[in-house]
Amino acid sequence: MVERYIRDVPDFPKKGILFKDITPLLQSAEGLQECLDKMAAAVDPKSYDLICGIESRGFIFGMGLAAKLKKGFVPIRKRGKLPWKTASQAYELEYGTDHIEVHVDAVKPGQKVLLVDDLLATGGTMEAALKLVKQIGGVPVATSFVIELGFLKGREKLKPTPVHALLKF
Ligand code: AMP
């Protein structure tokens, strides 16, 4: 069901990339509900305290899940966006590197965290997010995605943290 709401957009944002557009899923009341229900069921909510979402589509699904499960939400943002003291992690882009950041006091030492993003491709972004959560004393319990591009083998990079994805391409 969820799969039929994912739109493939060829050559976006550049030639050769098949972009998985989740906006039709967000638009559909039934599709969105099913997606959040399945994400909520994928990892036992009792096993974590907080949800971390990665900018920007990770905010949408992470926040939806947090509201549904009555958990707190922590935004992991691109460099320079967060106003308070931050911890930072670099990750590889196709050309050069970028950074993601989190407030140093966003997760209390020992708190268990579920990390959420819309899509797992090479795994570089989520790998950096896992390091970031550990850097501020959090304990990653699992990662959760709507979509996994299996052929890029991103989940290898996230070991030993369990990886959950609703749809695999
Ligand atoms: P990666 O670090 O390679 O796993 O890339 C993951 C991030 O890039 C996620 O935040 C995705 O939203 C975005 N992304 C990468 N590839 C795609 C794609 N084919 N379609 C949509 N989003 C993508």
Side-chain angles (χ1 to χ4, degrees):
M1 245 299 247
V2 173
E3 185 168 353
R4 56 187 263 238
Y5 296 110
I6 306 299
R7 174 165 53 198
D8 283 350
V9 184
D11 301 321
F12 183 88
K14 56 186 171 188
K15 206 152 183 62
I17 305 285
L18 183 64
F19 194 86
K20 296 287 183 185
D21 177 18
I22 49 106
T23 63
L25 174 63
L26 302 179
Q27 228 173 297
S28 158
E30 299 83 1
L32 185 57
Q33 200 55 56
E34 185 184 334
C35 176
L36 292 173
D37 285 349
K38 286 187 170 163
M39 287 180 92
V43 186
D44 179 4
K46 290 196 286 297
S47 70
Y48 57 90
D49 310 301
L50 274 177
I51 294 177
C52 286
I54 305 175
E55 185 170 0
S56 54
R57 277 162 279 151
F59 290 177
I60 300 171
F61 296 99
M63 188 57 220
L65 212 49
K68 180 180 171 65
L69 296 170
K70 300 188 166 59
K71 301 284 182 183
F73 178 79
V74 170
I76 292 180
R77 299 209 61 181
K78 306 273 164 66
R79 182 155 64 179
K81 303 282 188 187
L82 287 167
W84 183 240
K85 290 173 195 157
T86 57
S88 182
Q89 269 293 331
Y91 64 102
E92 300 288 321
L93 296 174
E94 203 173 341
Y95 302 102
T97 61
D98 209 343
H99 290 77
I100 49 172
E101 297 183 337
V102 71
H103 279 151
V104 289
D105 58 359
V107 179
K108 293 191 196 81
Q111 262 190 322
K112 298 193 187 92
V113 170
L114 174 73
L115 291 98
V116 175
D117 204 356
D118 68 324
L119 184 142
L120 173 63
T122 67
T125 310
M126 187 55 89
E127 184 186 26
L130 286 169
K131 285 185 188 158
L132 201 52
V133 165
K134 289 180 199 162
Q135 200 183 318
I136 60 169
V139 181
V141 165
T143 63
S144 185
F145 302 88
V146 181
I147 300 162
E148 174 181 6
L149 302 182
F151 57 92
L152 293 172
K153 302 200 169 17
R155 66 166 63 220
E156 299 293 319
K157 276 205 188 105
L158 310 183
K159 279 181 179 169
T161 310
V163 176
H164 299 273
L166 247 48
L167 307 173
K168 285 161 204 168
F169 294 100

